[in-house]
Amino acid sequence: MKSGDGNLMDSVVSSLSNSFKDVPLAAIPPMLDCILASTGLSLSSLFPALQDSFALLVKDHMLKDEKLGSDHCNNVASLAAALCHLLKKLGSDSPCMRSFIWRCFIPLLKIANTFDHGLLNEIAESFFSAVSATNSWTMLETTLVPFLLRSVGLSMGMQQHAESFVFKWGSSSAFQSGDDMKDGLHHDKDFVLSSQFGYVPLPVSCYVLTLVLDTTIRSFLMLPLERATPGCCYGKRLSGILLWDLCCLNEQLLLHSPDLRSCTIAFLLPNICKAFTPGVSFEIRIHENSFLLTRNLFLGKVWKCCRSLFSLGSLERRDAYSVLSMCSTFFRDGYDIADSNIEAEESDVRAERQFWEEIKRGLVDEERLVRKQSLEILKNVLCTNGESPSSASEAKTQSKLSNPLGMTRRELWADKEARSLGVGKLCSSVDSLLTHQQQWNAFILLYEMLDEYGTHLVEAAWNHQVTLLLQVSASQNNFANTSYGMHQHQSETSRESFAWLAILWQVGFRHENPQVRCLVLQSFLGIEWAKYGETAISLPESFILGPFLHALNDPIHHRDFGVKGVYTSRTIKAAGQFLCHYISYLSMRNGIALINSLASVVKHRPFGRAGLMGLAECLASAARGLEKYKCGASDLLEEVVKASPENFSSIDKSELLEVLRFFVETSKQHFNPKYRLRVSMKILEAAASLVCISEVPLEAVLRFLSAFPREFADHGGAFRVRTQEWFLGSPTKHESSSNYSTKFQLLKNLQEFPLKYTSKQSSAGTVSTYDDEDIDAWEAEAKRWARVLFIVIKGENELASLLTYIHDLGLSICKQQSSLEWLLIKFLILSMSVVSEIQLAEQRAAEYCIGGEMEREASLLGFGMTSVESLAVARNFCAHFVLILVVEELIDFANMSCPIFWYSIGEDITLPGPVRGKLGGPSQRRLSSSTTTAVLQAITSVQVVASISSWCITYRSALELNSSWTSLWDFFFKTISIPTYNSETGAEVGVAAYEALSYALKALASSFSKLSLDLIKQHNISSHLTEDEPWLDVVVIPFLHSVNNLLAVGALARSRRAVLLKWKWLCLESLLSIPCYARGNGLPLEDASFFSDRAIKAIIDDLIESLENAGEVALLPMLRCVRLALGLFAPGKLGSLTGVDAQMMWPLVRSSWVLLVNSNKRRVASIAAVLSSVLHASVFADQVMHVAGDTPGPLKWFIGNLLEEGTKSPRTIRLASLHLTGLLLSHPRIAMYYIKELKLLTLYGSVAFDEDFEAELVENYDARTEVALLANSPDPEITEAFINTELYGRVSVAALFHKLGELADLVGTTHENEDCHSALESGKLFLFELLDSAVNDRDLAKELYKKYSAIHRRKIRVWQMICVLSRFVTEDIVGEVTKSMHVALCRNNLPAVRQYLETFAINIFLNFPALVGKQLVPVLRNFEMRPQALSSYVFISANVILHSSEPLRSRHLDDLLPPIIPLLTSHHHSLRGFTQLLVYQVLCKFFSHLGSQSGENDLSKRCFEDIKLYLARNPDCKRLRESMEGYLEAYNPISSSTPAGIFVNRVEELEFECVPTSLMEEVLSFLNDAREDLRSAMAKDLVSIKNESMKIDEVHDSQGVSNSGLPHEMLDFQKKITLTKNETEDMDHATHSSNNNAHKQLLAMEKEAELLQNAFQSRRLAIEKTKERYQEIILVASLLDRIPNLAGLARTCEIFKASGLVIADACVLRDKQFQLISVTAEKWVPIMEVPIHSVKQFLEKKKREGFSVLGLEQTANSVPLDQYTFPKKTVLVLGREKEGIPVDIIHVLDACIEIPQLGVVRSLNVHVSGAIALWEYTRQQRS
């Protein structure tokens, strides 16, 4: 081109570019045509110029790498449109197409991320339009497509080599590699590859490839066959080839990274699916091989990819479901039938079981999106054969058929609802089964209901549809075994249908609505599984272990759990029955495996109380289902073993026992012993049903039983008998031989245990050294063995032979002690365990053998023998050990071991590494391994000698055990003489010595006798001590000196010091208890002979110094020492002292208080020990301890702080109440000093139940012991019932004053004493204190308070106590008391409070009859009194008459009945009804006394007779009496003022302060019910009247036209003339005015009436014009109750000029919130009031008026809003906010419409829904 022409062309291009900016794209082609025609420019010159300009523009933007502005976008789009238009004109033979692709289109794709996606669409549309017009498909094949495929390959990380399929476009690819293509690849290669931007981004490449595919397919599909050209055929070929490669590319991208997979899901996959239209297939040829590409083949490839994705993580699974959901649309049109000679490679994914399993998993996935996609897949698959889901609506035609017989009202309503949903009628028999498609529709409907629809729809249709599916599941014609090819490879039985039903149950179990969860679980458990036989096991085991147990753990299903101490529920029982049936069809191996899995769930998932109990019940029930396989069963077991010996032998029942043991351990976290007992019983039942003792090792049995609390399985325990039956077998005629062998084998194992136990070495292979952990393990193992031993042995002979064996074994071991000392240690531990079990058996025997009864049930007495036999066996065992002791083997061994304590190394030695790192503790001795072994050997030997000797003393004399006592006392004196070492090793050995000493002193103290006393005397003589000194001073004082010196050295770590303190105080506890044991053992000695005052003072001083810093381990021993010391220090006990004074008690009290406050754990034992030690009976009687002048004494200070602390610790205040009230009862004169504290206890309230408290009392021996040492309760029965409730504080106070009242009643009798006067005085003081609070306290005097509030509770508590104190009212205080009483009665109080005021008042008037005439009668005649107060006085008067003595009754009738009678006519309904009830009671009981009165006339008698007759026969009065029947007869004011009447005789269900329902509450409840019935009847009458007024008015004839020409209805109104006040006065004073004035007034009135008529007519015409502008649509919102929705709808109706809005209550229009939202819309839109129960009649009326009645609701047959044409006259019904439109109204509707929804949340606000529907109606009417 010449330079001149070039400049000209540049100017043309520049001019065109500027012009293109201002021209729409559609105008560019004609613009170019005009320019070419007018200027004579050639295409060949214009196209390159424009192309160069476009290329430069793109290249410039590529270098800038910034977002294109709108002007640049328009410029690019314009130039691209112009170039594409020129390409069309150039034709297919021009090389310009190739140039455009390489120089323009591909560079443009590289910067596609810098401009809007719409611009790319416009350019691509223009380009592909040019390609289609010129048939340039070959050009795309050789240029664009290869380049884009290579871009995708590089994005996938592929290297550009021949093996990559995307780079083998000419070989493995479907495209042939021709010269033309090669030339094209090298054209402008430098430009394309030199770009710094590389290749096209992956999303753009995929998107453009899909555009190419879509263009090629549309080109040959839209062109008629007769117009087909060779280029068009090539386009079809290109589309097939490209589709094949895209399918392969899609397959690789799906298995690549998440980013690439999301790209193919977003771009490639949808367009590939779109390309596979029904009936279309593609024949492709690769390497001379022909293939037929169909969508079936593609779906098979996609499924293989998804199958791989399913095995990966959750993200991949989600993508797999998205892919399948997208491809599942193929199923809707059925499989393609290939119309070709080429054999197609077909695959049917529906024939693969994994496909269906993945659908099932997706339906129960946690992610909602996955569930929706899985449901969509299932729906598409089920539509394969052309049956539409709407076929389920066929059953709707049956809606008019008669309902099945025997259905309840709720079931009938649910049936109607189900029919309205289009599912089908309820099939009451198998003969009327639905088709397979209808069954699937029912399944899908139930699933959608659970996942999306409202709760009321689930409740309506669930039971019916599940029943229907269950019916068909039991047959071969079920929906999971359908004849469709997609199911034929699944399952040919009904089991598969249960697997699908399990999906519904699983979704229902986790529904967010608790009502739905309850409904689904009840439905599941209510199935009669026996009807379905073994098909129940088709439920997957994962369903049982997962969703089923999850539902069972849901507390919503166990509302009746724990009520009245019953730890079960209907759900738990039903779950157990289901598991029993389910597992009965499993094999033994599978059954035990399932039970093992069930029990193991507690290891991985937390369970609540009800859930754990339910799981235990399931385990027991499942075990019963497998009980046929137990040891020694029938021939069925033998057949099972013979058929599959390998399976049977593989059952590890030891592992099962271990799992069950862990289950029992888990139950210990729930402290309630009754609950744990039931759980343990269930686990034991399961173990006994499954495991035969002879099949498992003895160790497994021992470990299993050790998990159970001892009190359950020990002697006299709750399930000891059941344990024995399991161990020994329950004898039956079929199992006697088997049980004998089982018992024999068990006894043999138990007898062989001692030898195995003593000879068994540690895990290291040797036991040359051992530590505390080894000792503990040996002790635990020996105790487990001894425990089982005495459960199994039931005869003396069996035990005697075992004892002989143990005796012989002991002798054998003793001979080997020089070489294997650990053998003797283990033997001693074993012997000590046997002794402990025998001691426990003796304790139980003593509990059950009361008095002279010595024969008891075997299972309750330890050995299973009578008590006589058990004692004989115990003596026999004692004789064996005495024999050993005589030989002195044990004593010699102890004497040989103990020198380690006093010949210890004085210097520290190098400790092992693990020991050096320890901080110390009970089992962390800081000693070398060899020293630790020696120390433990010595401790154990002393412990065994002490424990066995103390037990044998009960059967042998002290002389026979002389050597043992001598040895133990020698050990004591040697221990306290140990020199103090400054080294840590020496101190540690000293700690061990005192540990051994604690065991020795415990035995010496409990068996203290004359022999022990002689041994002490001998020591005193040998020590040159005087005989005058108390004998135990030489024991206590040196002991304190020795142990305190060891503590003072400071060689011990802090934790080890705490351990030493524990042993110190345990030893002192034993020493201080020697006087008590000595007296019990028959030594007639005074306490002063044992201890001096100096020794006791030294002990108390030491205690005071140590209490504040005492650790948890030493807490109880120290407090017991305090208690024992104070008991010895009491006045008169230690001759020279007068007792403990206040000055001495203050530091002890303060230290004890610090100890209690600093204690981290509020243990029952420690609290009780503090109470019994500090509040000791010996010091409590001293007045100085409580009050010293105006200041509180030490005990009062301690009690005040203790009760204040009790507000934070309920158990503290309960135990304090128990002890304090017991002490006050023993010392009545002290009670007056604790009035404030007793008031605090009266008003106290806390949590209702402390399970830990009860568990400690049951399980902890220390807790039981310490609580037993507290002061005796005033009422043991009340204490037992209420000790663990929040009521006990005031219950104990009430019991105290009830007992004090009995003492006060003795005042004035011959039995009175000082305590009686003190009790009376204390009662009066407490009564005045409470009355003053009730009348004057700011809270207690309030008259306005809420029911169940804190004030309500405190009022009840105060007046309950005042009732108890009524017996303390005497003549001197009755006036002051009644004054406060009347003030309280005249105030407003709730009936629960008033009933106690009334009871108190009745008792006052019964005790003081003279007050009736003075106070009660005047009150009844006070007619200005409040009705509430008057009702109380009527009740008081009636009960004074009913309960007064015979001499006073007639006088009370004369005084009280006359003023009560007028109240029968009271205007106040409650007072009137209350009086009628009481008067009738009085007249019926005492009417005969009326005639006996002198002066009584016949008139009064007849009046009373008629009143009685009226009250007896009047139906309302009769109904009132019947509702109160028995109340007045049962009421007794005297017993109602006792603790038993107030608290004990309560109903369990009444949890509110033990308050029964009062008579006034009963009357008010009755009257309210009657009033509601009356209102309901009146409302029904009003509705009937309104409905009558809604009938169509008849057309009036022409008679209604007046002379004025106005219609009759215009004149049919009432004219009201309201005169002013002045006009009224004028008329009153002008009655004699002239007729002329009257005539003028009448004329004025007529003129006014005429003006009024004209105004009315104008208003009416205006209203008619306004009505003409209204749209004929009425919105019915009567079902709505939320004010914002109603106000919003009113505003919407006014905006769209609806002709009416219907609401349920017009009162809402006056609501402030409504007016704020509606902004006066209610003034301009007609609003009608139609109550909910009249909506149906209103709709039927509108139907008769020609309206179409529609409902806005989602149903099975609802029509989308955008597809429905509204009638002009429409009534639109809106449903409730949550439940929607009820079924009875749905049946009235002509149609239901729904708003199409695209999001996840399937719900719109009802106001928004109504507004959308109203706008759609308006839009249709305007068009």
Side-chain angles (χ1 to χ4, degrees), residues 220-266:
F220 73 83
L221 287 180
M222 298 177 61
L223 193 65
L225 185 60
E226 60 274 7
R227 296 179 53 192
T229 62
C232 177
C233 295
Y234 192 84
K236 180 178 180 181
R237 172 181 170 274
L238 173 63
S239 62
I241 297 171
L242 180 58
L243 183 59
W244 171 268
D245 283 314
L246 290 183
C247 290
C248 298
L249 182 63
N250 173 73
E251 188 175 354
Q252 292 197 14
L253 288 174
L254 285 176
L255 299 177
H256 219 278
S257 64
D259 294 338
L260 299 183
R261 187 165 54 251
S262 62
C263 182
T264 188
I265 292 174

Side-chain angles (χ1 to χ4, degrees), residues 1235 1297 1320-1334 1358-1359 1361-1370 1373-1374 1377 1380 1400 1404:
I1235 299 301
F1297 280 97
L1320 179 61
E1321 187 66 23
S1322 300
K1324 289 181 179 180
L1325 290 175
F1326 193 44
L1327 175 61
F1328 279 123
E1329 178 69 24
L1330 293 182
L1331 281 175
D1332 180 68
S1333 298
V1358 165
W1359 285 104
M1361 193 61 63
I1362 291 175
C1363 285
V1364 176
L1365 297 173
S1366 60
R1367 65 193 309 172
F1368 291 96
V1369 180
T1370 56
I1373 65 170
V1374 67
V1377 169
S1380 300
F1400 177 73
I1404 296 298

Side-chain angles (χ1 to χ4, degrees), residues 48 241 351 376 382 424 458 575 681 733 740 886 926 1420 1464 1482:
I241 297 171
E376 184 66 23
L382 294 176
V458 179
M681 281 290 289
K733 62 181 181 179
Y740 177 78
V886 170
R926 299 183 62 81
L1420 292 173
L1464 293 171
V1482 172

Side-chain angles (χ1 to χ4, degrees), residues 1784-1797:
D1784 56 340
I1785 296 180
I1786 287 181
H1787 293 161
V1788 182
L1789 304 178
D1790 296 319
C1792 283
I1793 56 177
E1794 65 171 291
I1795 300 173
Q1797 300 173 19

Side-chain angles (χ1 to χ4, degrees), residues 1235-1284:
I1235 299 301
K1236 298 291 185 182
E1237 289 75 9
L1238 293 173
K1239 175 184 172 183
L1240 187 149
L1241 290 176
T1242 300
L1243 298 177
Y1244 172 77
S1246 178
V1247 293
F1249 193 75
D1250 183 1
E1251 292 185 338
D1252 196 6
F1253 178 85
E1254 187 172 343
E1256 283 193 58
L1257 288 179
V1258 173
E1259 299 175 6
N1260 193 307
Y1261 174 79
D1262 289 333
R1264 292 197 302 271
T1265 303
E1266 295 298 332
V1267 171
L1269 291 174
L1270 296 176
N1272 293 329
S1273 168
D1275 193 330
E1277 180 183 354
I1278 283 184
T1279 297
E1280 183 178 357
F1282 292 93
I1283 186 63
N1284 196 23

